[in-house]
Amino acid sequence: MLNKKTLNAPPRTIMTPGPVEADPRVLRVLGTPILGQFDPAFTTIMNETMEMLRELFQTKNKWAFPIDGTSRAGLEAVLASIIEPGDTVFVPIFGRFGHLLTEISERYGAVVHNIECEWGSVFEPEQVIREIKRTNPKIVAMVHGETSTGRVQSLKEIGKACRENDALFIVDAVATIGGIDVKVDDWYIDALIAGTQKCISVPSGMAPITYNERVEHHITQRKKVEKGIATEADNNVRTRPNIISNYFDLSQLQDYWSDRRLNHHTEATSMLYALHEGVRILLEEGLDIRFARHKLHEKALVAGIKAMGLSLFGNEASKLTTVTCVIIPSGINGEDVRSTLLDQFGIEIASSFGPLHGKIWRIGTMGYSCRQDNVLYTLAGLEATLLRKGTLINAGKALQAALDVYDSELVHV
């Protein structure tokens, strides 16, 4: 018979590229009483969330709201609502999640064109721009921060080229929003997808998105409201084939998030409370201050890793601030080290995917997890574990190097 024990999750120091530790203030609001989805008190929270998301995304877009589901739900909602079978989609790949954009696009009938670069590097913008001009795609879909390789792709020049060539520029910014600067309007991004479980420091379960009038035009042409709630006016809108997915239909979702309040689904009430609080905390800190905090703790972590005698993976010129990839020393079982860190110290770091599995560790410095105490504790735990495994490292150097960074900055956050 099942022993029905009270849920008791062990305490962890989570230093992965996601999920990260949720801000305690976010966890508190998850216990807020439930409101009905059309209660004026709740729709006010919806409107406030949209307004704060616009500020976070640095956009004047009308549409900025969450998709209920993980980050992948946001990616699928945007792509499903734009792609028609036979559309050309161009996806430059520099890690695992470029392959995911390709996978989703192909499932909705797109003809996908790829170029790839070696994992650990990114594209020169001109490489991508040449392919845009050559292939003339309807959509260019790119990852901004690739957590599988710890790299960040420059986007502004690519976005400008997309606009000049009348291609829709769709960006996966799940790993970067709230941790490094992302400018939706200035970078000519037509639609952007984020996630709650990384730098926003909210549990996984929502995917904030934004999109502009160019995207809305495509969505409106495909609008199909389901029978039972459709009006006569709804039936006279569609001029293109309807969006295949019902759940991920942005034409209905945007009506739910507008004054119309179309009854498409029941909103994830508690998750919206959490998102509202997470973004409010983020804006309260200030974007520039928050980005500087992420940069500081990355600098301290990297200094400690190098002082220990370990090497970073990838081209440092394109390093992602929020993810540090460390080459696993020769002769060391990376999973054994991760297990010891978790079992003995309660610290979780990540492995990687595909060709990098077993070759690197990935250490995240994101959102609420991005703190001085977490960085120092992770360095201490990693050093102790490697020494325990007989690895030749520079004992005692890592923490001193990280502390030197903190002392030189004269800021402790």
Side-chain angles (χ1 to χ4, degrees), residues 221-360:
Q221 289 184 318
R222 306 182 68 195
K223 184 172 183 176
K224 179 182 183 294
V225 179
E226 61 202 56
K227 290 182 179 180
I229 57 174
T231 65
E232 185 175 343
D234 290 324
N235 296 327
N236 296 324
V237 171
R238 189 170 74 256
T239 59
R240 305 288 301 173
N242 61 264
I243 295 165
I244 294 172
S245 174
N246 176 285
Y247 187 76
F248 293 131
D249 182 343
L250 291 183
S251 72
Q252 294 187 86
L253 287 169
Q254 68 184 24
D255 273 354
Y256 179 76
W257 282 86
S258 72
D259 290 339
R260 182 182 180 185
R261 303 298 177 199
L262 180 75
N263 188 16
H264 174 264
H265 68 286
T266 302
E267 185 53 31
T269 313
S270 297
M271 276 302 302
L272 187 65
Y273 295 158
L275 177 62
H276 183 283
E277 182 68 359
V279 179
R280 189 184 71 82
I281 291 167
L282 192 155
L283 296 176
E284 178 183 85
E285 181 177 3
L287 293 180
D288 290 341
I289 293 173
R290 194 175 183 91
F291 301 153
R293 170 166 66 84
H294 281 77
K295 194 66 183 171
L296 169 64
H297 295 309
E298 176 215 27
K299 184 177 179 182
L301 176 65
V302 167
I305 292 294
K306 289 182 174 180
M308 200 185 301
L310 302 178
S311 299
L312 300 186
F313 168 79
N315 184 344
E316 289 196 46
S318 59
K319 185 185 179 304
L320 177 59
T321 302
T322 54
V323 182
T324 298
C325 296
V326 182
I327 297 173
I328 298 173
S330 178
I332 291 296
N333 184 319
E335 292 305 295
D336 187 32
V337 169
R338 289 182 62 242
S339 295
T340 300
L341 273 173
L342 192 65
D343 295 341
Q344 300 297 326
F345 296 91
I347 299 169
E348 184 181 7
I349 64 173
S351 57
S352 194
F353 312 103
L356 295 179
H357 182 69
K359 296 181 180 179
I360 65 171

Side-chain angles (χ1 to χ4, degrees), residues 109-170:
V111 177
V112 181
H113 174 64
N114 297 123
I115 58 173
E116 296 189 46
C117 64
E118 184 179 0
W119 286 28
S121 61
V122 297
F123 296 97
E124 290 297 330
E126 189 53 43
Q127 291 177 268
V128 178
I129 293 169
R130 281 197 303 268
E131 288 298 306
I132 293 172
K133 293 177 179 178
R134 189 179 73 82
T135 59
N136 192 32
K138 173 181 174 179
I139 297 167
V140 176
M142 285 199 79
V143 176
H144 183 217
E146 178 57 78
T147 55
S148 68
T149 63
R151 311 271 66 85
V152 63
Q153 174 68 54
S154 176
L155 294 180
K156 184 172 184 178
E157 294 173 61
I158 296 169
K160 188 171 186 290
C162 287
R163 192 65 54 89
E164 290 170 350
N165 288 269
D166 197 29
L168 296 174
F169 191 34
I170 312 302

Side-chain angles (χ1 to χ4, degrees), residues 29 48 75 113 115 123 136 176 188 196 231 261 303 322 359 361 370 401 413:
V29 302
E48 289 174 353
L75 296 173
H113 174 64
I115 58 173
F123 296 97
N136 192 32
T176 52
Y188 307 93
T196 53
T231 65
R261 303 298 177 199
T322 54
K359 296 181 180 179
W361 294 305
C370 183
V413 289

